[in-house]
Amino acid sequence: MGVLPVPAEVCAILLDIEGTTTPIAFVQETLFPYIKENVKEYLRAHWEEEECQRDIGLLRKQAQEDSSLDGAVPIPLESGSGEEELEQVIQAVVDNVHWQMSLDRKTTALKQLQGHMWRAAYATGHVKGEVFKDVVPAIRKWREAGMKVYVYSSGSIEAQKLMFRYSTEGDILELFDGHFDTNIGSKVESESYRRIATSIGCTTNNILFLTDVPREANAAEEADTHVAIVIRPGNAGLTDDEKSYYSLISSFTELFLPSST
């Protein structure tokens, strides 16, 4: 690793979150366990609210689509027959959420509920978004050099913004020029990176994508996007072929911008 020169045509840096700006351990050991441990209490507290009912509606629709899958958990409709029935429906939602999370599914329905739960957790101080120490100083330097900085994560845009607004480094949301989630497409499909470039108003060749996942790097590269793989503590290991093929960095400070000469 060491210094990685950024190609002169790059004017936008696109960042993954988990394993790139943020330790995988934070997502796996803080964010996801918070959902599992608190979903029943959250549903009981917010059940009558319109937003919560929209979340339940999406989860119920997803459950119907998943009905043929092994282990799928249906969510029954309420008939309004009392507290006992309500508890049964809430438990069905809880079981459905736990089932989806056990399979690491990224359905819009699941992500939406998670985002609303994390919003409450961040706002009350129960959770703070964790970022690696090199991230904020490096992004400030990139922006001073005229770079645009964007985020592309499988987590919802709302969840992304919460993580950076309530971070261990304070409110750093202003450092980002825009956010993308899987509504623009899967991170392992090259077309997603073409759509992002169109949205930003540049070509894919003007973007440098930083990720810890070779499949994502490969998809971006197929779209003629520049890529580098980020090596962080806790990230999955790379094969020898991946190590020799991809540009690797272990810190954002290792990127050398042409304008910094």
Side-chain angles (χ1 to χ4, degrees):
M1 287 175 272
V3 173
L4 177 65
V6 175
E9 65 267 27
V10 169
C11 61
I13 297 179
L14 184 64
L15 302 175
D16 169 51
I17 292 180
E18 184 179 352
T20 300
T21 66
T22 298
I24 284 178
F26 170 71
V27 178
Q28 295 180 345
E29 298 172 13
T30 299
L31 285 186
F32 288 153
Y34 179 86
I35 299 295
K36 291 178 181 177
E37 293 163 11
N38 293 279
V39 61
K40 180 179 283 188
E41 179 184 343
Y42 176 87
L43 292 170
R44 283 173 173 164
H46 299 277
W47 189 263
E48 299 297 331
E49 296 171 14
E50 184 179 340
E51 180 179 80
C52 187
Q53 282 301 307
R54 286 198 300 269
D55 293 348
I56 303 306
L58 273 181
L59 286 165
R60 187 174 280 123
K61 182 180 178 184
Q62 184 65 50
Q64 291 169 346
E65 294 175 8
D66 293 340
S67 59
S68 62
L69 299 180
D70 186 38
V73 181
I75 302 174
L77 289 165
E78 295 172 77
S79 65
S81 61
E83 286 295 319
E84 185 176 343
E85 182 200 52
L86 176 58
E87 278 299 310
Q88 291 173 350
V89 176
I90 288 176
Q91 188 59 53
V93 176
V94 172
D95 292 344
N96 180 279
V97 168
H98 285 181
W99 172 72
Q100 290 202 61
M101 292 182 69
S102 73
L103 299 176
D104 194 28
R105 301 192 76 204
K106 304 183 189 303
T107 64
T108 298
L110 177 62
K111 287 192 297 179
Q112 181 165 299
L113 176 66
Q114 288 173 331
H116 292 152
M117 287 185 64
W118 286 326
R119 180 182 62 199
Y122 282 116
T124 56
H126 284 99
V127 173
K128 279 190 178 292
E130 190 174 338
V131 294
F132 290 109
K133 291 295 183 183
D134 59 277
V135 169
V136 172
I139 293 177
R140 291 194 193 284
K141 187 174 181 180
W142 299 343
R143 291 177 63 87
E144 287 170 6
M147 284 284 174
K148 299 287 188 180
V149 183
Y150 299 87
V151 176
Y152 182 27
S153 172
S154 58
S156 69
I157 288 175
E158 181 177 22
Q160 296 173 29
K161 290 182 175 180
L162 287 167
M163 177 178 288
F164 294 124
R165 179 177 290 122
Y166 299 99
S167 87
T168 50
E169 303 299 311
D171 184 351
I172 58 172
L173 192 56
E174 66 179 11
L175 296 180
F176 304 101
D177 294 283
H179 299 258
F180 300 95
D181 60 17
T182 51
N183 281 318
I184 204 154
S186 167
K187 296 176 74 180
V188 296
E189 294 177 0
S190 58
E191 186 59 33
S192 303
Y193 300 89
R194 297 186 185 98
R195 293 190 191 111
I196 287 173
T198 299
S199 177
I200 290 174
C202 65
T203 67
T204 52
N205 196 42
N206 298 138
I207 298 173
L208 170 63
F209 178 46
L210 304 183
T211 179
D212 63 308
V213 181
R215 286 183 67 207
E216 296 174 3
N218 183 60
E221 195 174 63
E222 284 181 357
D224 200 28
T225 300
H226 296 283
V227 299
I229 288 186
V230 185
I231 310 296
R232 299 286 199 183
N235 287 6
L238 303 176
T239 66
D240 288 341
D241 285 345
E242 289 165 347
K243 288 177 184 177
S244 62
Y245 180 78
Y246 289 107
S247 298
L248 309 176
I249 60 172
S250 60
S251 167
F252 285 4
T253 59
E254 293 171 12
L255 290 184
F256 181 78
L257 274 56
S259 55
S260 57
T261 53

